[in-house]
Amino acid sequence: MARKRLTREESRDQTNQRLLEAAAHVIAKKGFAAASVEDIAAHAGYTRGAFYSNFKSKSDLFIALLSQDHQCVQQDLQKILDAPLSMADMQQQISQYYVQVYRDEKNFILWAEARVLALRDAKFRARLNAYCLEKRDDIASIIEQFYKLLGTEPPAPPKDLAFGTMALIDGMRFFNETIPKELPDEAAMRTLAVMFNATFFK
Amino acid sequence: MARKRLTREESRDQTNQRLLEAAAHVIAKKGFAAASVEDIAAHAGYTRGAFYSNFKSKSDLFIALLSQDHQCVQQDLQKILDAPLSMADMQQQISQYYVQVYRDEKNFILWAEARVLALRDAKFRARLNAYCLEKRDDIASIIEQFYKLLGTEPPAPPKDLAFGTMALIDGMRFFNETIPKELPDEAAMRTLAVMFNATFFK
DNA sequence: GAATTCAGATACATAACTGTATTAGAGTGC
DNA sequence: GCACTCTAATACAGTTATGTATCTGAATTC
């Protein structure tokens, strides 16, 4: 099993990526504030030296992490959104969205953490708001497209309805994550479907 | 201005209350993890000694704080919920609920923080879930009452619809709090009204 | 009013984290 | 293969937190 000798750039990228992965893990587990730079570096198999040589600060790293995840998710979602829309799959699209926005529990926790951070930290808030608005606009454009197809007027500005959609999805996901016994997957999905059907097909 | 001489119990209660208020302030400002016991005690005008003589730990204090706020909010909400229901005020009740669940920004942040903590800490989760279910059941019972009045079947189990209601309200509040420019109060309320009307009056 | 008890202050012993400055060692270019 | 340049390790100095153990003074009890 000959290990390839890495060039500087490859090696640096590898370290960078490992630090990001470690950060995702440690932050999801302990929370952003409680996750020390040392923790993260050690979990990636490095020391603090490596950390500071790759990132300016812990915030910096977290933003890089979120940014990477956001790009990744947006790409996946784009596929859903790009598919030509028929009224029948609206509902299916929504549940697909629900499933895909946060790929797994870890990512969900990461973004929940980030949102809370954003309440306090203006720099974070600016970043997250940008991502949030990207998503909102994507969804708003689906909604517009949908009502054009339907030939009727939307019951509220599409952008606001998009916020509503995101709010509902995020909120239900939260309950589903913290009280799965009371709100299992199927119940969450069914309720989402009922509420979205009602508001969009009314 | 003669200051009343306090009995031991009065004095202790006062300290306790001051620590709780200080904690609310400091935790909302810095976050639970970053708020040190020293911070909190100092902000209340005491030293750490006072803190440890009143609470077992920081978690302990936070739970006491949340518990107190929950009781308080539940009382207020009970008044809304106890008012006899007519179909016409359903919508008004909901926007009143929206306004009252978190009395101000500070409380909103506190609960957001708590929810994230709950994702990691089982003890916290148990507490918050209990509060959450109390609210859900209150809302579910309004919904039931409402459909009885209407003489029709609800489109989904009232308890699930209640989760949906809470999810939507919390989620919208979050956007309204972090991107007020994009989702001002009126837009948030109007969208909530549209979505709730659709699902409940469909 | 002396003895006691309890709230809260102070002192202490540790532990952990931060960021920088310096150093070692492995890629790179001539 | 020698000088150089970068990545990551190490050493260091300083800060901030934790919880306990002990002490003090004001309330309480008799």
Side-chain angles (χ1 to χ4, degrees):
Chain A
M1 200 59 149
R3 184 158 310 152
K4 189 195 160 210
R5 222 158 194 285
L6 301 172
T7 70
R8 279 206 179 134
E9 206 190 340
E10 286 171 327
S11 162
R12 185 163 235 278
D13 286 353
Q14 191 184 62
T15 307
N16 214 278
Q17 199 51 42
R18 282 183 183 161
L19 282 171
L20 285 171
E21 279 160 25
H25 187 263
V26 177
I27 293 175
K29 190 174 165 193
K30 302 184 153 195
F32 178 74
S36 72
V37 169
E38 181 113 41
D39 265 344
I40 295 170
H43 195 272
Y46 298 93
T47 63
R48 243 167 330 127
F51 182 98
Y52 283 109
S53 128
N54 278 274
F55 298 96
K56 258 202 0 264
S57 65
K58 202 170 59 168
S59 299
D60 207 57
L61 167 98
F62 195 24
I63 287 177
L65 177 58
L66 293 169
S67 165
Q68 182 180 277
D69 191 62
H70 176 73
Q71 309 299 357
C72 185
V73 172
Q74 278 293 104
Q75 265 183 354
D76 284 4
L77 292 182
Q78 209 62 44
K79 284 179 206 151
I80 306 182
L81 308 189
D82 282 347
L85 184 76
S86 88
M87 281 167 47
D89 11 82
M90 181 77 173
Q91 184 175 320
Q92 206 228 323
Q93 282 194 331
I94 285 166
S95 51
Q96 210 181 332
Y97 191 96
Y98 177 73
V99 173
Q100 288 204 336
V101 220
Y102 307 106
R103 276 92 41 95
D104 57 20
E105 200 199 335
K106 193 200 279 178
N107 285 311
F108 178 75
I109 297 183
L110 243 36
W111 286 95
E113 186 79 32
R115 271 195 296 273
V116 172
L117 232 60
L119 289 170
R120 276 188 284 276
D121 181 326
K123 194 177 156 196
F124 251 90
R125 189 163 51 242
R127 284 292 189 134
L128 286 221
N129 284 355
Y131 298 152
C132 180
L133 289 178
E134 256 185 61
K135 274 193 197 168
R136 182 203 61 174
D137 290 339
D138 283 352
I139 297 177
S141 86
I142 298 199
I143 294 176
E144 262 171 41
Q145 206 182 320
F146 173 74
Y147 280 103
K148 203 162 284 168
L149 198 73
L150 210 65
T152 60
E153 282 303 302
K159 287 187 173 182
D160 292 347
L161 289 173
F163 271 132
T165 305
M166 293 162 74
L168 195 47
I169 284 177
D170 273 11
M172 289 301 264
R173 178 75 184 243
F174 218 111
F175 291 129
N176 175 244
E177 201 79 55
T178 49
I179 336 187
K181 244 188 89 185
E182 294 288 334
L183 189 74
D185 286 330
E186 320 80 56
M189 301 262 255
R190 229 183 309 113
T191 310
L192 281 179
V194 165
M195 294 182 74
F196 284 129
N197 267 332
T199 94
F200 294 121
F201 284 98
K202 192 180 184 172
Chain B
M1 200 62 150
R3 183 157 312 152
K4 192 196 159 210
R5 223 154 195 289
L6 301 173
T7 69
R8 277 205 180 134
E9 207 191 340
E10 286 171 327
S11 163
R12 186 164 234 279
D13 286 353
Q14 192 184 63
T15 307
N16 214 277
Q17 198 51 41
R18 281 183 183 160
L19 283 171
L20 285 171
E21 279 160 25
H25 187 263
V26 176
I27 292 174
K29 191 174 164 194
K30 302 183 151 198
F32 178 73
S36 72
V37 169
E38 180 113 44
D39 266 343
I40 295 170
H43 196 271
Y46 299 93
T47 62
R48 243 165 331 126
F51 182 97
Y52 283 109
S53 128
N54 278 272
F55 298 97
K56 257 202 359 264
S57 66
K58 203 169 60 168
S59 298
D60 206 57
L61 167 98
F62 195 24
I63 286 177
L65 176 60
L66 293 169
S67 165
Q68 184 179 278
D69 190 62
H70 176 72
Q71 309 298 357
C72 185
V73 172
Q74 279 291 106
Q75 266 183 355
D76 284 4
L77 293 182
Q78 209 61 45
K79 284 179 206 150
I80 307 182
L81 308 189
D82 281 347
L85 184 76
S86 89
M87 279 167 47
D89 8 83
M90 180 76 173
Q91 185 176 321
Q92 206 228 323
Q93 281 194 332
I94 284 166
S95 52
Q96 210 181 330
Y97 190 96
Y98 176 73
V99 173
Q100 287 204 336
V101 220
Y102 307 106
R103 275 93 40 97
D104 56 19
E105 201 200 334
K106 192 200 281 180
N107 285 311
F108 178 75
I109 297 183
L110 243 36
W111 285 96
E113 186 79 32
R115 271 196 295 275
V116 173
L117 233 61
L119 289 170
R120 276 188 286 275
D121 182 326
K123 194 177 158 197
F124 251 90
R125 190 164 49 242
R127 283 294 187 133
L128 286 221
N129 283 355
Y131 298 152
C132 180
L133 289 178
E134 256 185 60
K135 275 194 196 166
R136 183 204 60 174
D137 289 339
D138 282 352
I139 297 178
S141 85
I142 299 198
I143 293 176
E144 263 172 41
Q145 208 181 319
F146 172 75
Y147 281 103
K148 205 162 282 169
L149 197 74
L150 210 65
T152 59
E153 283 302 304
K159 288 188 172 182
D160 292 347
L161 289 172
F163 271 132
T165 305
M166 294 163 73
L168 195 46
I169 285 177
D170 274 11
M172 289 302 262
R173 178 75 184 242
F174 219 110
F175 291 129
N176 176 245
E177 201 79 55
T178 48
I179 334 187
K181 245 188 87 185
E182 294 288 334
L183 189 74
D185 286 330
E186 321 80 56
M189 301 263 255
R190 229 182 312 113
T191 310
L192 281 180
V194 165
M195 294 182 73
F196 284 129
N197 267 333
T199 95
F200 294 121
F201 284 99
K202 189 178 185 171

